[in-house]
Amino acid sequence: MEKYLIIPSTRNSISKLELFLDNFFDELKLNRDNFFHVLLSLCESVNNSISHGNKFSEDKNVIITCSWENDILTLTVEDEGQGFDVNKLKNPTLPENIFYERGRGLFLISKLADEVNLFEKGRIIEIKFKI
């Protein structure tokens, strides 16, 4: 099963994510033990797409896909930005980066999810959870 949500690049759009995800879980009667981890990962990745990818440009959209197959929930978030150099992300756990305010979102997502993949210079993030 697969569901899509397309939202404009505004902060208000993030408020639609919980209902979208909640409906997806309800339709499939998925175990909700890690619902918060999934929601937090989705919100963080969409926020990154809106702010860093699309730079709050309301004429650009973020496309969210939720799919379910073989006990794996896959979230895909795609923006219309230029992408970024993944290798330039700083490790937020290193002492010299502990007060650096950026780069924590992807680190957090990678700790919450079972698998994270970036495509097209980071314009697309794929996040997988075993449910």
Side-chain angles (χ1 to χ4, degrees):
M1 176 178 183
E2 200 166 71
K3 289 234 177 221
Y4 300 92
L5 177 66
I6 300 173
I7 58 172
S9 294
T10 63
R11 287 200 193 274
N12 291 339
S13 297
I14 292 176
S15 65
K16 298 175 183 178
L17 300 178
E18 185 170 4
L19 181 60
F20 173 70
L21 194 59
D22 191 50
N23 287 339
F24 191 80
F25 268 69
D26 280 351
E27 269 187 62
L28 292 169
K29 297 176 179 36
L30 296 178
N31 181 325
R32 289 184 171 263
D33 286 349
N34 61 353
F35 180 83
F36 179 72
H37 288 182
V38 176
L39 178 60
L40 183 58
S41 297
L42 179 60
C43 289
E44 184 58 41
S45 60
V46 169
N47 185 58
N48 283 347
S49 288
I50 289 171
S51 60
H52 302 299
N54 291 344
K55 301 189 184 332
F56 299 103
S57 179
E58 292 185 31
D59 63 327
K60 292 183 178 180
N61 293 316
V62 176
I63 302 165
I64 299 127
T65 307
C66 280
S67 62
W68 170 255
E69 187 176 354
N70 299 325
D71 295 335
I72 302 291
L73 172 67
T74 303
L75 305 173
T76 306
V77 178
E78 179 177 354
D79 63 54
E80 298 180 53
Q82 298 298 310
F84 64 98
D85 186 348
V86 177
N87 297 318
K88 289 188 177 179
L89 285 178
K90 299 177 187 219
N91 181 339
T93 63
L94 294 177
E96 63 268 21
N97 298 328
I98 207 78
F99 295 110
Y100 189 68
E101 294 179 7
R102 293 184 164 222
R104 298 191 186 314
L106 281 175
F107 177 79
L108 177 64
I109 293 167
S110 71
K111 295 302 176 190
L112 296 173
D114 293 303
E115 183 180 335
V116 178
N117 299 297
L118 296 170
F119 304 101
E120 294 189 27
K121 292 179 65 180
R123 285 190 335 91
I124 300 171
I125 183 170
E126 177 187 75
I127 310 164
K128 295 185 178 194
F129 294 89
K130 181 147 178 64
I131 305 284

